[in-house]
């Protein structure tokens, strides 16, 4: 009797184990199919120049757009959220052609053709061709620092959410990125400011800077357009240079990002940025 019971128990347990394995297999297959479902953009063909001016431009872009924040101060790669180890960008740029780099940077598709989850390509989608080329040239010529081996982990819960259609990845999110408004005359303060804001501030302040992101957010980053309605230029400059806001309270993340990244903006860039953000704020006041 007991023996029979045990035998049936084992069969039932075996059934559960098989079902669990099938489910895990399905989650992997369905998520992989989705990750690989994104069409590649046209092959990037801009000329890569390695003259001093291009390399300096690339260095400025890497510093102000914060590649080092996630890829390590010397681009050596770093663990992120216990999920992935970001790749070493100096070796990556040596091992991959400019088209592969551009597809990752602006389109969120990695060298294996899979959509990426955490690399913030929405923030780089609007980078101009010559700036993508300058970044690539700079990274290719940057010294290769020793770092941890890159890994592309994705927790099972995220895979499951992707398999079930409850979560998505960068190339899908990019579809809701708004177009730029002022680039038909790119060399005006408004257009230059828009270019800066929509390739830097949108990383945290939202796709259109209004605390809007297509995924679940922690709700801690304010609507930048609303904030700017009450920001005189002097206070804005101090925030960007020293991380100190109106009223002097400690901003933590914004403080770090200002002192780590935005100190590298030139005076002209800061004034262009102010022109654009102030214009957005004034227009929003007129037509909220
Ligand atoms: C907020 C963090 C973050 C920032 C900022 C960031 N990256 Fe990444 N990047 C990642 C992560 C994480 C990955 C690994 C893929 C993933 O999990 O999405 C990655 C992957 C990459 C890859 C590899 C794609 C592949 O083929 O595997 C390249 C190239 C890259 N990043 C370039 C850049 C450049 C250039 C910058 C700055 C302009 C930058 N990243 C800024 C997080 C970031
Ligand atoms: C890495 C994320 C991150 C990036 C990138 C970022 N911000 Fe912020 N910012 C924050 C967070 C978080 C806060 C809220 C801080 C708080 O209230 O504690 C904030 C707050 C602000 C504020 C309000 C400060 C106040 O007085 O309360 C302004 C203005 C601002 N950011 C401007 C900018 C501009 C301009 C850019 C682009 C050049 C930018 N931020 C890019 C994270 C970021």
């Amino acid at each position: 009797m007991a023996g029979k019971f045990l035998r049936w128990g084992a069969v039932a347990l075996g059934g559960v184990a098989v079902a669990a394995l099938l489910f895990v297999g399905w989650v992997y297959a369905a998520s992989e199919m989705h990750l690989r479902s994104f069409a590649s953009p046209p092959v990037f063909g801009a000329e890569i120049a390695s003259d001093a001016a291009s390399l300096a431009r690339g260095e400025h872009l890497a510093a102000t757009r914060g590649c080092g924040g996630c890829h390590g101060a010397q681009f050596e790669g770093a663990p992120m959220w216990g999920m992935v180890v970001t790749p070493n960008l100096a070796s990556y740029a040596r091992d991959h052609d400019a088209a592969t780099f551009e597809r990752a940077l602006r389109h969120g598709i990695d060298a294996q053709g899979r959509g990426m989850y955490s690399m913030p390509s929405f923030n780089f989608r609007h980078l101009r061709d010559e700036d993508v080329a300058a970044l690539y040239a700079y990274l290719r010529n940057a010294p290769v620092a020793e770092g941890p081996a890159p890994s592309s982990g994705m927790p099972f819960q995220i895979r499951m959410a992707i398999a079930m259609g409850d979560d998505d990845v960068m190339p899908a999110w990019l579809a809701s990125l708004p177009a730029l408004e002022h680039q038909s005359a790119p060399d005006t303060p408004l257009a230059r400011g828009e270019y800066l804001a929509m390739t830097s501030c949108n990383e945290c302040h939202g796709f259109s800077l209004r605390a809007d992101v297509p995924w679940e957010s922690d709700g801690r980053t304010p609507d930048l357009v609303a904030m700017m309605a009450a920001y005189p230029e002097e206070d804005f400059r101090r925030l960007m240079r020293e991380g100190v806001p109106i009223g002097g309270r400690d901003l933590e993340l914004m403080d770090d990002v200002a002192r780590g990244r935005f100190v590298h903006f030139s005076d002209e860039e800061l004034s262009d940025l102010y022109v654009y953000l102030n214009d957005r704020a004034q227009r929003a006041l007129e037509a909220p």
Side-chain angles (χ1 to χ4, degrees), residues 200-201 203-205 220-222 224 227-228 231 236 239-240 245-246 249-254 257 261-262 265 273 277:
S200 334
C201 316
E203 180 186 342
C204 301
H205 287 282
R220 283 183 51 216
T221 315
L224 184 52
M227 290 300 309
M228 289 306 292
Y231 249 88
F236 177 72
L239 174 67
M240 291 292 115
I246 293 178
R249 103 201 128 80
D250 182 3
L251 288 185
E252 297 169 21
L253 181 58
M254 182 61 205
V257 86
R261 234 192 255 186
F262 304 147
F265 280 139
L273 198 49
L277 293 173

Side-chain angles (χ1 to χ4, degrees), residues 4 54 78 106 126 128 134 149 174 180-181 184 189 225 243 248 270 272:
K4 202 173 190 181
S54 303
R106 287 201 297 205
H126 292 305
R128 295 179 186 139
L174 285 173
L180 301 186
E181 293 178 83
S184 51
V225 173
L270 280 190
D272 291 341

Side-chain angles (χ1 to χ4, degrees), residues 16 21 38 46 48 56 102 122 141 197 245 260 271 281:
V16 170
L21 271 178
F38 301 98
I48 309 300
E102 186 270 346
F122 65 93
N141 286 282
S271 85

